[in-house]
Amino acid sequence: DTAVSQTPKYLVTQMGNDKSIKCEQNLGHDTMYWYKQDSKKFLKIMFSYNNKELIINETVPNRFSPKSPDKAHLNLHINSLELGDSAVYFCASSQAIGQGAMETQYFGPGTRLLVL
Amino acid sequence: GDSVTQMEGPVTLSEEAFLTINCTYTATGYPSLFWYVQYPGEGLQLLLKATKADDKGSNKGFEATYRKETTSFHLEKGSVQVSDSAVYFCAFEGYQKVTFGTGTKLQVIP
């Protein structure tokens, strides 16, 4: 069984469109994250949620809006897509938050977004 | 501010060669340090960790030692295999936040 799953795996869309990426974890974790990995492989945290509450929001444009309907899901909605949004987006989850969270952090397979 | 600096890649080695990927960090206090590996087309996986000074993390033949005096956590492996080809990320964990390095791509050729 997949621990952290993301859909879709690939997403190709036109500039200006609105799209969503879904993430689900079946590990019973309380904390979920979204990361962006650019073309140079640089990985940066975007958001983290703990028990459906926003904990971290790292200077991400407000076109990006995470939504957590329950603690097993953290979806990412992107409005008015721009060329610079092209990247791989990784969802992750962990049992804890704060010190020690990384030791139990599991990553999804990534969603490859290409904005044309 | 907090940051992680990794050596630029790509690194290309022949099978059975010795590997070193340098990593230094700037952080407040004494964070836990990690190496993650990303195989082609997959998400990141935790490779090894060290939580305090002089700790050595090890897994799958890879090792890294937490050096407080040089704020470094260099990754080493004595004999790499083709299956080690991947991108390696150094990272540390601060308060509620993880900081990753830029990743170093390793390519091992037969």
Side-chain angles (χ1 to χ4, degrees):
Chain A
D1 285 339
T2 304
V4 182
S5 59
Q6 294 179 228
T7 54
K9 191 171 182 178
Y10 299 96
L11 183 54
V12 181
T13 188
Q14 298 287 332
M15 213 165 48
N17 284 350
D18 302 338
K19 291 293 179 184
S20 292
I21 306 172
K22 296 185 177 181
C23 178
E24 177 181 2
Q25 54 94 3
N26 62 7
L27 298 164
H29 287 167
D30 288 337
T31 307
M32 296 185 71
Y33 311 81
W34 277 108
Y35 290 87
K36 179 181 179 180
Q37 185 177 45
D38 63 23
S39 58
K40 296 183 179 180
K41 299 294 186 183
F42 183 65
L43 188 69
K44 187 172 181 182
I45 191 167
M46 300 173 69
F47 302 101
S48 80
Y49 269 70
N50 180 256
N51 274 321
K52 301 193 298 175
E53 290 191 17
L54 180 66
I55 301 298
I56 294 174
N57 181 342
E58 286 289 314
T59 58
V60 176
N62 58 15
R63 298 182 295 105
F64 290 78
S65 52
K67 287 185 172 50
S68 183
D70 54 62
K71 71 175 191 178
H73 295 84
L74 182 61
N75 303 324
L76 183 64
H77 188 75
I78 315 170
N79 288 326
S80 303
L81 278 156
E82 299 177 357
L83 296 177
D85 296 332
S86 296
V88 182
Y89 292 84
F90 286 99
C91 178
S93 72
S94 67
Q95 197 164 7
I97 189 166
Q99 212 69 20
M102 275 194 76
E103 298 186 37
T104 62
Q105 190 162 139
Y106 290 81
F107 282 77
T111 295
R112 286 144 186 81
L113 171 65
L114 177 61
V115 182
L116 302 174
Chain B
D2 294 348
S3 66
V4 177
T5 303
Q6 282 183 240
M7 61 189 290
E8 291 269 342
V11 173
T12 302
L13 294 173
S14 297
E15 208 164 20
E16 298 183 3
F18 184 85
L19 168 72
T20 300
I21 300 178
N22 290 339
C23 170
T24 57
Y25 66 91
T26 302
T28 305
Y30 305 107
S32 296
L33 303 176
F34 302 85
W35 277 100
Y36 274 76
V37 57
Q38 183 182 24
Y39 297 105
E42 298 183 13
L44 278 71
Q45 303 172 29
L46 180 63
L47 179 61
L48 54 84
K49 64 177 172 66
T51 56
K52 61 182 187 296
D54 300 325
D55 266 4
K56 178 185 282 188
S58 61
N59 186 24
K60 299 181 182 179
F62 290 89
E63 292 183 340
T65 301
Y66 191 142
R67 300 284 187 203
K68 187 177 71 173
E69 63 278 10
T70 54
T71 61
S72 65
F73 193 53
H74 304 322
L75 182 68
E76 297 181 336
K77 186 173 185 181
S79 176
V80 293
Q81 305 300 313
V82 172
S83 57
D84 294 327
S85 297
V87 181
Y88 292 82
F89 292 88
C90 184
F92 72 82
E93 183 180 38
Y95 178 68
Q96 292 188 346
K97 184 180 169 181
V98 170
T99 301
F100 285 90
T102 52
T104 301
K105 184 175 182 179
L106 170 66
Q107 184 175 8
V108 180
I109 53 178

